[in-house]
Amino acid sequence: MLVSVPRPQMPIALDPDGVRRLAGAQRQPQPSRLIAVLERSAFIRDAYGKKQQYVPFAERIVEEKHLAQRSTHGLHFDFALTLCDFVNRPLLTLTGTAVNGELDQAILQAIAEFSGTCKISQPSSIDLLVPDYDDLGMAELSMNPVFCLNPSWQFGLDLGVANEANSQALAPLVQDYTANLPVIAYTDGSVPRNRKFRSAGAMVTSQGHWACAISPKHYVQDTLLAETTGALLALTHAPLDSVLTIFSDSRALVKAVNDLVQGRQRTVKVHHELRESLELRTGRTRAHWVRGHDGNRHNEAANRMAILMSRHFSARINPQLTQSMMTKIVLEELSQQALAA
């Protein structure tokens, strides 16, 4: 699918190397490259097949070095690709959709369908400029030899027109799922019987994101504070303006969160970090109780991860091994869940 632009604005010429590229009166005499500007919007589909914007982890979780992972299960991209001539004038915008891992091939296919030629395969034949706001889809783009990704000699271009064209092309594709995306997080905490061991908390979202963290030392042997560790991960992960629902098998945590949100008498035991995190949010926050060990796979995953985190930290197990085992837990527990269509 492409934005309607008269074809004469973008003539295609066959270069000696067998690759069809843009041609024009002001075409550079030296071997030329196609200049393209890419914008993409990540999404998944929920259990009902409805599009949902993909919410990455907040930077704070990564910076604080918690064990965390951003799932790419079911990840898709809507993309808009603006093609430019060789005096850097944006000509037209192609749009499409790609599965994660196939973004590079989808872009080449969109260009090939437009130009009426086979898929471009000449190494470094496309200078591809990509906004560097996240790393989603960058792996396949950087590994595909056809693309010269963000070449330094193109950084001085004024790409405002191209970016505006991309935004307009993506608008109808994303407008139905970008507004106020809800985040559903399941949290749990683990308090070891041995007082020498540290407690831990875990979180897993309905998208498959997960994170674990060791509780501070003064949380030892306090069940509510251990549960708070998992809730804080959920609060850190969710955008401040999103609707956040926290599911927990701790009635004490559910009551504490809802009391704080609704301004009721505040529980003395609740740590100040939970109160401060809730006060920062502008989106609606609520907590619900879910029965533990009752077949809810998200809750089971959070429970197993919290226990594993506590035991491995106390036993000084290599964090890389812990991270690997966390990933297996998520895959095992959520394999029956339709996280994405």
Side-chain angles (χ1 to χ4, degrees), residues 69 210 305 322-332:
Q69 182 165 306
W210 63 263
M305 287 191 292
T322 306
Q323 180 108 3
S324 175
M325 294 183 68
M326 294 285 184
T327 303
K328 291 181 180 179
I329 288 175
V330 174
L331 290 176
E332 288 174 5

Side-chain angles (χ1 to χ4, degrees), residues 277-298:
S277 296
L278 287 169
E279 289 174 349
L280 288 173
R281 289 187 48 77
T282 57
R284 181 183 178 187
T285 308
R286 55 185 176 179
H288 291 285
W289 179 75
V290 59
R291 186 182 300 277
H293 307 294
D294 195 40
N296 186 295
R297 309 315 303 175
H298 291 88

